[in-house]
Amino acid sequence: MTRQTNTAIRQQCDRIDQLCRQALELSGSAGPLGIMEVCGTHTMCIARSGLSGLLSDNLKLISGPGCPVCVTDQSYIDRALHLAMECEPRPIIATYGDMVRVPGSGGSLAEARASGARVEVVYSADQAVEIALANGDTEVVFLAVGFETTAPGAALAVLRAHNENVPNFSIMTAQKLILPAMEALLSQEDVRIDGFLCPGHVSVIIGWKAYASVAAKYARPCVVAGFDAPQVLASVEAILAQLASGRTESASVYPSVSAEGNARALELLDEVFVASEASWRGLGAIPESGMELREAFGRFDAAVRFGLPDFPSREIPGCRCGDVICGRLHPTGCGLFGSRCTPRRAVGPCMVSSEGACAAAYKYGPHDRGPRQ
Amino acid sequence: MSDTTHIQLAHGGGGQLTAELIEQVILPALGGPQKTGELTDSAVLDAPSKRLALTTDSYVVHPLEFPGGDIGKLAICGTVNDLAMAGALPTALTMALIIEEGLEIALLKRILESAGRTAAQAGAPIVTGDTKVVPRGMLDALMINTAGLGDVLAGADLGFQRVLPGDSIVLSGPLGEHGLAVMARRKGLSFSSDLLSDCTPLSQPAAALVEALGGELHFMRDPTRGGLAATLADLAGGSSHNVEIDEASIPINPTAIAAAEILGLDLLTVANEGKLVAVVSAKACDTALRVLREYQVAREAAEIGRIVGQTDTGQLPLVEMITKIGGRRIVQMPYGEELPRIC
């Protein structure tokens, strides 16, 4: 066995380097160029494959708000904890696993479970409906978080509960839309984003043409990629090829994604949800960036059913997840990183989530601690 | 007795029911004398050699039966393999059962027969044991403890201190099959029938390595809980040398890769129960691979990396992986059970 140097990959990295130079020359700016990924799976793929270390010094891959757990505002976690601990009789909280350990102001759902809260980890929203059907005398609340990827599942669960008249099922929604967040990121003065590496899963739903408005309005190439390192490299190369030739378009290198997306899923989302203002960790309130249940399904809104109070949006002291999510700060630049904040004892959500930028940097570090010096 | 199909508290009471359970279920499955009356308080053994290996482990797994194995087979393999990694062949095993009241006796019988078969296959007689029954709810169905006494083979000289820069790291086969098979069954995932636990005794391939390599074999470990990542992190920490592995050279089971992908797990951190990692001198690497590949359970053995030199004083030793695309990343000791991801 010898060290395998993948010639094709090396050649591609050389091409990427060349394109970076051309793009910088054309723009007349100094490097490095910044390409942001807005998908947690891409964040993990880049870290796991050690990709950054292979790329040009003139290029910086920046992790953006791609992990659903990370962008969920503190106030949502506090609300979920309130629901789990203060409402009597105690409802069953059904949630994706990643949410269980995210700390709120007064502990995490995992800690709440240890003190008697009923928290069940599910793989799909539909499983939460099943739990409701199996526990007819207990309220079951599904924590609906995530982007356009998880939203159709939540919508289907609500429709099922509606059609089968499941009285003890409701959802607490923090579903988010990716495009408004990308626009909010571009309005930041202090982060250089020259192009977006667009998410594969989300784009299966919304289609790669959905990014055309961002690409045109802000003059930033947006290219959808699948989930392995060759896909990420292909997307990076396509973004740079656009920049080097002065184009800014939406495109895809991921064959599973169509231009228009999944019409049935989009209809479903429109049937059940309506766009509303949502709070994002780090980005604050963004108009029309969230999904709220339509009036026809209002009875499945846990906030209404339980009369849940609003909680103030607080930041965890010392935690800079907000800056990490916005691409202002590399995880290793946070004062808590690796000392007070580790995957074992995480302070912020970016370290808790298996797809968070801090967890990726900690697990697969130091070759992914930002651009090479 | 009123219920002959399920374990009752009285089965652990030391009376007639206990004797019946031992005579009708345990002894036939595990081998040994026909009657409890022939059992003595202790097994008396002849010492096989001057260097003995001794190990113990307790086994809890849910579900008790999983694709490719069960808790009985696991309890034998785990202990036999711990002996094997010390360069020892098993001389005798002990087995203690702690059973929850209400366990189906037919299930217990299947599990013990599986343990008996595996012990016979590994050449490891079960010479003594114990049975306790605890009230319903105090235990999840069944816990097994086994201890193993082994005869350390002449020429086996293994340990962290023997690991040297330049040594090759050999892995006997693809990763993650046990952990993923159990997890897939537990979560009711549809591919669970395609994925079998690799649970198997490794005494023979391990002994063959010792015999063929002698002093050129420096270290062995079976990457069980925590997977290859934990084993390599221990290897780096224990030997104070850096470790480097090549992702492209790690043997692959495509079903396990797909399952890990679905569950959001890193294959390097998933448990194995029938794989071994051996550190051998570079010049003995080809021999090690040839010897291992003669065994069905190690036919995919491959050199996956190397020991790359002492770390500087004060620097923590590091495990690095050269990824398939030629990048580099750290491999860390896993920090606990990973949670299923969202998407």
Side-chain angles (χ1 to χ4, degrees):
Chain A
M1 178 197 60
T2 54
R3 278 185 209 193
Q4 297 197 351
T5 324
N6 192 323
T7 321
I9 298 271
R10 209 179 48 215
Q11 285 168 352
Q12 190 173 20
C13 290
D14 289 344
R15 286 202 301 276
I16 284 172
D17 190 37
Q18 189 61 33
L19 288 169
C20 281
R21 287 171 211 278
Q22 288 171 18
L24 285 170
E25 209 173 277
L26 189 69
S27 70
S29 68
L33 293 161
I35 293 181
M36 177 176 271
E37 89 269 359
V38 287
C39 165
T41 314
H42 281 154
T43 303
M44 288 315 275
C45 164
I46 290 165
R48 273 165 90 152
S49 61
L51 200 60
S52 302
L54 297 177
L55 291 175
S56 167
D57 290 340
N58 284 319
L59 179 63
K60 197 172 153 186
L61 296 184
I62 310 160
S63 298
C67 150
V69 169
C70 306
V71 298
T72 302
D73 193 64
Q74 193 72 22
S75 59
Y76 181 85
I77 314 284
D78 288 342
R79 233 178 185 199
L81 283 167
H82 175 86
L83 188 61
M85 296 299 287
E86 307 297 332
C87 291
E88 293 292 345
R90 284 185 175 173
I92 294 173
I93 310 289
T95 174
Y96 295 123
D98 273 6
M99 289 293 286
V100 170
R101 292 197 301 141
V102 179
S105 303
S108 65
L109 285 169
E111 285 161 4
R113 181 168 56 189
S115 359
R118 303 178 70 177
V119 180
E120 300 263 357
V121 170
V122 294
Y123 282 84
S124 68
D126 195 55
Q127 258 182 298
V129 180
E130 295 287 339
I131 294 174
L133 288 169
N135 296 272
D137 53 348
T138 308
E139 287 286 337
V140 175
V141 182
F142 175 64
L143 302 186
V145 301
F147 291 96
E148 286 91 336
T149 336
T150 57
L156 275 176
V158 169
L159 275 181
R160 181 177 174 194
H162 178 74
N163 294 336
E164 295 179 24
N165 217 351
V166 185
N168 58 326
F169 176 79
S170 60
I171 69 171
M172 204 174 110
T173 173
Q175 297 284 168
K176 298 213 167 18
L177 301 164
I178 195 69
L179 284 164
M182 288 165 68
E183 296 202 40
L185 285 161
L186 289 171
S187 64
Q188 299 183 114
E189 302 276 306
D190 47 356
V191 183
R192 175 168 184 171
I193 304 170
D194 293 285
F196 280 107
L197 179 63
C198 297
H201 291 140
V202 165
S203 304
V204 167
I205 309 291
I206 67 174
W208 58 260
K209 266 196 184 161
Y211 305 97
S213 58
V214 173
K217 187 171 163 193
Y218 298 91
R220 302 291 203 288
C222 295
V223 180
V224 175
F227 299 107
D228 55 13
Q231 275 281 308
V232 169
L233 275 171
S235 169
V236 166
E237 189 178 354
I239 290 167
L240 292 167
Q242 286 194 33
L243 290 172
S245 60
R247 289 175 297 131
T248 54
E249 297 155 4
S250 74
S252 171
V253 297
Y254 189 31
S256 309
V257 167
S258 66
E260 311 297 339
N262 183 327
R264 173 76 192 105
L266 290 170
E267 270 169 34
L268 194 64
L269 290 184
D270 190 51
E271 185 183 350
V272 175
F273 294 114
V274 58
S276 64
E277 182 178 281
S279 291
W280 295 62
R281 191 186 295 269
L283 290 164
I286 305 176
E288 309 233 319
S289 69
M291 292 180 233
E292 195 171 273
L293 283 170
R294 284 193 184 273
E295 224 174 293
F297 302 100
R299 65 189 171 114
F300 297 105
D301 187 341
V304 176
R305 187 174 298 183
F306 295 91
L308 294 176
D310 277 327
F311 285 83
S313 181
R314 267 187 230 147
E315 291 297 329
I316 306 159
C319 171
R320 297 191 62 191
C321 278
D323 290 328
V324 169
I325 288 162
C326 299
R328 277 193 290 271
L329 183 76
H330 190 266
T332 51
C334 174
L336 306 183
F337 181 86
S339 54
R340 267 188 59 207
C341 186
T342 65
R344 258 180 83 188
R345 294 185 64 87
V347 177
C350 298
M351 189 65 93
V352 171
S353 167
S354 59
E355 300 204 327
C358 297
Y362 186 86
K363 280 173 84 171
Y364 304 123
H367 299 285
D368 267 280
R369 294 188 179 177
R372 289 177 298 175
Q373 297 299 310
Chain B
M1 85 191 176
S2 51
D3 179 2
T4 54
T5 60
H6 293 84
I7 292 288
Q8 305 164 37
L9 276 177
H11 277 118
Q16 271 185 32
L17 270 186
T18 307
E20 265 180 42
L21 181 70
I22 293 174
E23 279 177 17
Q24 289 170 13
V25 178
I26 299 178
L27 290 178
L30 301 182
Q34 300 296 302
K35 297 273 176 201
T36 47
E38 297 169 29
L39 293 173
T40 50
D41 282 350
S42 289
V44 177
L45 310 169
D46 292 325
S49 72
K50 278 189 176 168
R51 289 172 75 212
L52 300 176
L54 180 62
T55 185
T56 183
D57 220 329
S58 298
Y59 299 85
V60 279
V61 62
H62 180 86
L64 293 178
E65 295 177 299
F66 46 82
D70 53 70
I71 189 173
K73 185 179 182 188
L74 190 64
I76 302 299
C77 293
T79 294
V80 162
N81 291 348
D82 281 348
L83 292 174
M85 296 307 106
L89 281 174
T91 303
L93 301 178
T94 74
M95 177 178 272
L97 306 170
I98 305 181
I99 310 172
E100 184 190 19
E101 174 190 15
L103 182 73
E104 203 193 331
I105 291 179
L107 172 61
L108 179 66
K109 198 158 175 274
R110 280 202 303 278
I111 287 168
L112 292 176
E113 281 167 357
S114 166
R117 271 196 308 275
T118 312
Q121 184 194 344
I126 300 166
V127 297
T128 185
D130 179 50
T131 306
K132 293 283 186 294
V133 178
V134 297
R136 199 183 285 273
M138 290 191 64
L139 185 75
D140 185 12
L142 176 64
M143 191 183 112
I144 300 181
N145 173 279
T146 54
L149 187 66
D151 180 14
V152 181
L153 294 166
D157 185 5
L158 306 171
F160 287 128
Q161 76 288 350
R162 299 219 50 232
V163 172
L164 296 170
D167 280 359
S168 296
I169 301 170
V170 169
L171 172 67
S172 66
L175 295 175
E177 290 161 345
H178 174 72
L180 288 166
V182 171
M183 230 177 294
R185 175 54 55 93
R186 205 183 283 168
K187 312 266 186 208
L189 298 181
S190 53
F191 54 77
S192 61
S193 54
D194 303 331
L195 196 58
L196 300 183
S197 164
D198 60 347
C199 183
T200 199
L202 293 168
S203 311
Q204 289 176 14
L209 269 187
V210 173
E211 272 159 27
L213 269 64
E216 305 300 320
L217 177 64
H218 295 164
F219 177 83
M220 283 196 287
R221 166 113 7 135
D222 52 340
T224 54
R225 267 187 312 184
L228 182 67
T231 295
L232 295 180
D234 277 345
L235 177 60
S239 70
S240 302
H241 292 304
N242 291 330
V243 169
E244 190 176 87
I245 57 168
D246 300 288
E247 187 176 23
S249 62
I250 298 175
I252 290 174
N253 173 340
T255 314
I257 290 187
E261 196 73 15
I262 289 168
L263 292 165
L265 298 173
D266 185 348
L267 261 189
L268 293 185
T269 66
V270 180
N272 313 280
E273 290 293 345
K275 297 293 176 309
L276 68 83
V277 172
V279 180
V280 305
S281 69
K283 65 177 182 198
C285 187
D286 286 344
T287 312
L289 293 176
R290 204 180 56 240
V291 167
L292 283 174
R293 285 173 187 161
E294 278 171 23
Y295 294 87
Q296 179 66 15
V297 295
R299 68 190 182 283
E300 290 180 65
E303 182 187 8
I304 59 160
R306 62 206 74 81
I307 307 292
V308 287
Q310 195 117 22
T311 52
D312 302 332
T313 326
Q315 281 284 97
L316 285 175
L318 216 58
V319 182
E320 275 194 299
M321 179 158 86
I322 300 170
T323 65
K324 277 185 192 146
I325 60 160
R328 298 175 78 89
R329 66 125 153 140
I330 304 271
V331 176
Q332 283 204 342
M333 178 70 87
Y335 43 85
E337 201 168 342
E338 298 198 23
L339 289 164
R341 65 177 183 195
I342 290 182
C343 65

